[in-house]
C-alpha cells in the first residue's frame, strides 16, 4: 500500500480511480452481451469558469498514456490549443472524441476527464496571467498549496500556459528545465540579519543562479532594497517583495517607490520581483507600477477546474445523443486567422472560414488508433510556444 493517499500509475491505468457506476455498467453490458457495440463519445464543456471566454487544453499527453493499450481510437485537439466552449454559431465544441466499443473504455471516463479538467484549468489561468503580464517574467510558486503528488502536473500545466519557470524540482524535471526561485524568509531569519543572509547566498550558491534578495523581512521594503543593492552591488540581479497583506496598503505604490529610490542611487539594473496572492488583475497593475517579474502561486495551482463531460453521441453509426447534447460523429474546423471554429458532422466536407473565407484546418486529430499511439508528443517548451502564438489572437475580458 502507498504511504500517501494517491493512486499509482498502475492503478490509474487499471481505472481503479473510476466511479463505481461505470463498473456496474460494464458488468451489465457484458452480462447482456452489449459491451462490443461501437459508439462515439464527445468530450465538451458547457462553459468556462467565471465566464472566461477561452481556455487552454492541457493534459493531452497524459490522455495518450491513459488510452495506450486500450482498443479504441482517440481524437483530440493538440495539447495547448486555445478553445472556446462553442463554435461561432453556439454549438458545443468537442475537444476530444473517443470511438470504439463502449465496453472497452466505459471505465476510463472518470480518469480521462480528471486528466484534462484540472490541467486545462491551471493552463488557462496561467495563460490569462501571461496575457496580463505581457513580456514580463512569470514564475510558478503555487505547488505548496496542492497535494505534492500533483506538483509535476501543476508546474507543467503552468509552464505550458506561458510561465517562464517553475519552482519545484519535480516540476522542472517535467518541463525539462532548471527550477527557479529566490530565497525564503526562513533564510533571513536563520542567518539573523538580512545583509548576512544575502551575502551568504551570494557566497554559497552557484554563480549562474541570479541573486534576487528578499527585502521585506524586518524593515521597510525601500530600506531593505537599498541595503541589498549596496551589499551586492552589480551582482544583485533583483529584489523580491513579498510584503505581508497586513502591511500592503497600496502594493503598486510600494513598487513605484522602491523603483524610484533604487534608480536614484544608480541601481537601475536591479529588477523588482513581487509575489504573494497575485492574479491576472494584480499582475497587470503591478507591472504598470514597474515590477519586472512575478512569483504567482495559489491563483494558478488552485485554478478553477474546467467541467468537461463525456457523452455518447453515436451508437452503431446512428446519432443517439441525450437531451442537451448534439448527436453524431463530428469534426471541428478552425480558421487560424480568425481563431473561430465551425462544428460539422464528420461526413461533411472541408468548409471555408464562415467569416473570412480562408482555409480551415481540422482540429480533432488522431491520438491513439486501436490502442496504439499515433500522434507525436511535443515537448512542453514547444507546446508553450504554440500557446503563446495563439495568445496574440485572443483578449482578456475586463476582469
Ligand atoms: Zn477566418
Amino acid at each position: 500500500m502507498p504511504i500517501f493517499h494517491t493512486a499509482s500509475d498502475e492503478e490509474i491505468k487499471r481505472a481503479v480511480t473510476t466511479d463505481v457506476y461505470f463498473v456496474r455498467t460494464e458488468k451489465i453490458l457484458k452480462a447482456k452481451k452489449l459491451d462490443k457495440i461501437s459508439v462515439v463519445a464527445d468530450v465538451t464543456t458547457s462553459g468556462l469558469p467565471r465566464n472566461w471566454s477561452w481556455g487552454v487544453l492541457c493534459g493531452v499527453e497524459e490522455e495518450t498514456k491513459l488510452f495506450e493499450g486500450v482498443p479504441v481510437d482517440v481524437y483530440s485537439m493538440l495539447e495547448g490549443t486555445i478553445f472556446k466552449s462553442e463554435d461561432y454559431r453556439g454549438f458545443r465544441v468537442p475537444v476530444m472524441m473517443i470511438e470504439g466499443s463502449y465496453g472497452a473504455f466505459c471505465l476510463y471516463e472518470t480518469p480521462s476527464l480528471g486528466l484534462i479538467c484540472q490541467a486545462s484549468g491551471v493552463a488557462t489561468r496561467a495563460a490569462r496571467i501571461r496575457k496580463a503580464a505581457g513580456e514580463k517574467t512569470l514564475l510558478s510558486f503555487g505547488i505548496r498549496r496542492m497535494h505534492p503528488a500533483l506538483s509535476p502536473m501543476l508546474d507543467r500545466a503552468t509552464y505550458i500556459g506561458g510561465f517562464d519557470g517553475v519552482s519545484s524540482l519535480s516540476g522542472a524535471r517535467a518541463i525539462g528545465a532548471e527550477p527557479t526561485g529566490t530565497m525564503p524568509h526562513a533564510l533571513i531569519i536563520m542567518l539573523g540579519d538580512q545583509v548576512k543572509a544575502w551575502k551568504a547566498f551570494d557566497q554559497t550558491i552557484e554563480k549562474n543562479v541570479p541573486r534576487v534578495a528578499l527585502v521585506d523581512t524586518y524593515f521597510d521594503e525601500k530600506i531593505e532594497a537599498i541595503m541589498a543593492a549596496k551589499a551586492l552591488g552589480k551582482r544583485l540581479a533583483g529584489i523580491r517583495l513579498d510584503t505581508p497583506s497586513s502591511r500592503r496598503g497600496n502594493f503598486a505604490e510600494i513598487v513605484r517607490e522602491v523603483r524610484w529610490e533604487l534608480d536614484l542611487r544608480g541601481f537601475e539594473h536591479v529588477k523588482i520581483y513581487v509575489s504573494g496572492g497575485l492574479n491576472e488583475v494584480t499582475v497587470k497593475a503591478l507591472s504598470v507600477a514597474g515590477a519586472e517579474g512575478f512569483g504567482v502561486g495559489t491563483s494558478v495551482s488552485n485554478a478553477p477546474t474546467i467541467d468537461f463531460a463525456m457523452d455518447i453521441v453515436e451508437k452503431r453509426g446512428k446519432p443517439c445523443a441525450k437531451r442537451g447534447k448534439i448527436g453524431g460523429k463530428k469534426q471541428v474546423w478552425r480558421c487560424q486567422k480568425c481563431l473561430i471554429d465551425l462544428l460539422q458532422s464528420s461526413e461533411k466536407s472541408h468548409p471555408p472560414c464562415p467569416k473570412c473565407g480562408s482555409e480551415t484546418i481540422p482540429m480533432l486529430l488522431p491520438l491513439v488508433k486501436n490502442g496504439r499511439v499515433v500522434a507525436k508528443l511535443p515537448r512542453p517548451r514547444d507546446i508553450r510556444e504554440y500557446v503563446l502564438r495563439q495568445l496574440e489572437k485572443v483578449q482578456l475580458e475586463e476582469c
Side-chain angles (χ1 to χ4, degrees):
M1 284 297 284
I3 59 169
F4 298 111
H5 297 302
T6 53
S8 66
D9 284 2
E10 187 264 333
E11 285 172 318
I12 296 170
K13 282 288 282 183
R14 279 196 294 120
V16 174
T17 65
T18 198
D19 296 297
V20 70
Y21 72 171
F22 290 125
V23 180
R24 292 174 184 150
T25 299
E26 187 192 45
K27 190 173 177 182
I28 297 162
L29 293 179
K30 279 186 175 161
K32 301 290 177 187
K33 302 206 179 338
L34 297 172
D35 57 307
K36 300 283 194 288
I37 295 175
S38 177
V39 302
V40 172
D42 280 354
V43 176
T44 62
T45 179
S46 60
L48 292 162
R50 302 174 193 181
N51 288 323
W52 293 342
S53 51
W54 45 267
V56 176
L57 182 65
C58 191
V60 175
E61 183 187 303
E62 287 185 305
E63 291 290 353
T64 314
K65 308 284 183 195
L66 181 69
F67 285 107
E68 186 170 16
V70 179
V72 293
D73 298 344
V74 181
Y75 300 82
S76 174
M77 290 188 181
L78 296 176
E79 186 149 34
T81 297
I82 291 190
F83 67 92
K84 294 180 178 169
S85 60
E86 300 173 343
D87 83 343
Y88 82 108
R89 296 166 299 175
F91 290 119
R92 247 186 210 228
V93 166
V95 295
M96 205 169 96
M97 178 177 81
I98 301 173
E99 187 169 25
S101 56
Y102 186 62
F105 73 92
C106 164
L107 297 183
Y108 289 99
E109 177 166 335
T110 311
S112 166
L113 293 174
L115 290 176
I116 53 169
C117 288
Q118 189 180 14
S120 299
V122 171
T124 301
R125 194 82 197 263
R128 293 174 59 81
I129 295 175
R130 165 51 68 207
K131 194 78 192 158
E135 302 276 301
K136 296 195 169 172
T137 304
L138 289 173
L139 304 176
S140 171
F141 283 1
I143 49 137
R144 64 183 57 190
R145 301 274 144 62
M146 295 288 136
H147 196 290
L150 299 183
S151 56
M153 180 280 285
L154 293 168
D155 269 347
R156 178 181 180 275
T158 307
Y159 175 73
I160 281 175
F163 273 44
D164 299 290
V166 303
S167 63
S168 81
L169 310 188
S170 58
R173 195 175 59 193
I175 64 169
E178 289 296 317
T180 319
T182 62
M183 61 183 66
H185 291 109
L187 177 71
I188 314 239
I189 294 169
M190 292 309 292
L191 271 285
D193 175 286
Q194 299 96 319
V195 176
K196 272 189 198 158
W198 301 326
K199 286 191 168 165
F201 187 100
D202 188 35
Q203 287 154 6
T204 314
I205 300 302
E206 301 83 341
K207 294 276 173 271
N208 61 339
V209 175
R211 273 59 182 144
V212 179
L214 181 60
V215 297
D216 59 17
T217 309
Y218 288 123
F219 309 153
D220 183 75
E221 289 74 5
K222 173 161 65 177
I223 306 294
E224 287 203 20
I226 296 163
M227 283 166 63
K230 284 185 176 163
L232 299 195
K234 283 282 167 210
R235 292 195 307 288
L236 186 69
I239 49 151
R240 175 164 73 97
L241 277 61
D242 189 56
T243 309
S245 54
S246 63
R247 302 288 197 283
R248 237 171 227 204
N250 186 331
F251 200 20
E253 278 302 293
I254 299 177
V255 170
R256 274 196 190 87
E257 204 178 302
V258 170
R259 179 75 273 158
W260 179 271
E261 299 296 334
L262 285 171
D263 291 352
L264 202 61
R265 290 164 178 80
F267 300 120
E268 287 94 348
H269 69 281
V270 177
K271 291 186 169 159
I272 300 177
Y273 293 86
V274 291
S275 57
L278 302 179
N279 57 37
E280 55 269 58
V281 179
T282 48
V283 158
K284 202 168 184 180
L286 293 166
S287 178
V288 171
E292 299 279 352
F294 305 88
V296 186
T298 313
S299 71
V300 172
S301 64
N302 190 39
T305 188
I306 294 180
D307 281 358
F308 287 117
M310 188 185 292
D311 293 276
I312 300 175
V313 293
E314 186 176 289
K315 190 172 93 181
R316 289 190 176 117
K318 298 262 184 318
C320 66
K322 70 168 194 178
R323 297 163 73 203
K325 299 290 160 86
I326 51 178
K329 187 176 172 182
K330 309 168 191 81
Q331 180 57 277
V332 180
W333 298 91
R334 175 168 296 183
C335 172
Q336 288 177 297
K337 257 191 204 165
C338 310
L339 219 69
I340 62 168
D341 291 335
L342 172 63
L343 183 69
Q344 275 195 169
S345 159
S346 63
E347 285 165 16
K348 285 198 173 177
S349 60
H350 195 162
C353 171
K355 200 170 156 192
C356 75
S358 303
E359 180 86 347
T360 56
I361 57 164
M363 296 303 284
L364 296 173
L365 302 172
L367 197 63
V368 171
K369 281 273 186 191
N370 195 23
R372 197 171 57 85
V373 177
V374 292
K376 195 167 165 278
L377 299 175
R379 296 175 305 173
R381 72 176 61 175
D382 297 325
I383 304 171
R384 178 179 178 274
E385 285 301 317
Y386 172 50
V387 171
L388 294 178
R389 284 198 303 275
Q390 298 165 88
L391 274 184
E392 292 170 12
K393 297 185 182 170
V394 294
Q395 299 309 317
L396 210 53
E397 65 279 4
E398 287 307 315
C399 38

